[in-house]
Amino acid sequence: MQEILVLYYSHRGSVRALAEQIVRGIHQVPGVAARVRTVPKVSALCEAVEADIPADGPPYVEACDLEACVGLALGSPTRFGNMAAPMKYFLDGLASEWVNGTLAGKPACVFSSSASQHGGQESTLLSMMLPLLHHGMVLVGLPYTEAALNRTRSGGTPYGVTHVAGTDGIALLSEEEIVLAQAQGRRLATVARKLAVAQ
């Protein structure tokens, strides 16, 4: 069974909700499963330390997760048009994986959530794509052949699925966001299977 790494950071649950739907899409592709992981929070206090195992949700990502995966779905909330600091901190620490080409040639997609409709979702998705390109990953978008992308009045972009949480941070996804997240998971898993066969 080939595995797609679904790696995300979620502060109030919206990105986690998207990740869960992406996982459902991945599982719709025969022979592919999802391995779900997260990253720890970062703190300005030098003494602050996260527990080795999160109190809730998936385990923290490890180097072996990156090595074993045949594809990567990367998610983060929007922070002023950029990915959140915990995800950036994690990505900044992947020098040895970059040198070794651990992720080179593997497909990847990105997803995000913001409080407002124009809260920087697309620039956040693009900011997450940049380190993936440096690792030699093959980016998989969300094409307009997905009809929900034309219908949505909430989240969704050709760069990747998104969610508009509102200022109250509601993690309840719209119907179109669910459809698009599952479509993105299926698309990533399908491309990963094809690339794995080609290698």
Side-chain angles (χ1 to χ4, degrees), residues 59-75:
Y60 293 131
V61 66
E62 298 178 3
C64 62
D65 297 316
L66 298 170
E67 294 166 10
C69 75
V70 295
L72 171 67
L74 188 68

Side-chain angles (χ1 to χ4, degrees), residues 24-102:
R24 291 182 79 176
I26 290 168
H27 288 161
Q28 293 169 14
V29 177
V32 184
R35 181 185 296 197
V36 184
R37 297 291 185 265
T38 190
V39 296
K41 292 180 179 179
V42 294
S43 173
L45 301 174
C46 293
E47 300 83 22
V49 178
E50 287 284 335
D52 291 338
I53 301 172
D56 181 41
Y60 293 131
V61 66
E62 298 178 3
C64 62
D65 297 316
L66 298 170
E67 294 166 10
C69 75
V70 295
L72 171 67
L74 188 68
S76 170
T78 294
R79 294 292 183 264
F80 304 107
N82 206 331
M83 73 183 95
M87 187 57 72
K88 180 72 165 65
Y89 183 81
F90 169 74
L91 292 172
D92 284 349
L94 296 181
S96 62
E97 286 75 15
W98 172 72
V99 169
N100 295 327
T102 301

Side-chain angles (χ1 to χ4, degrees), residues 5 7 13 25 43 51 61 63 84 88 102 120 122 143 154 162 180 188 194 197:
L5 176 59
L7 175 61
S43 173
V61 66
K88 180 72 165 65
T102 301
E122 291 185 344
S154 52
T162 57
L180 291 170
L188 177 62
K194 290 178 179 177
V197 168

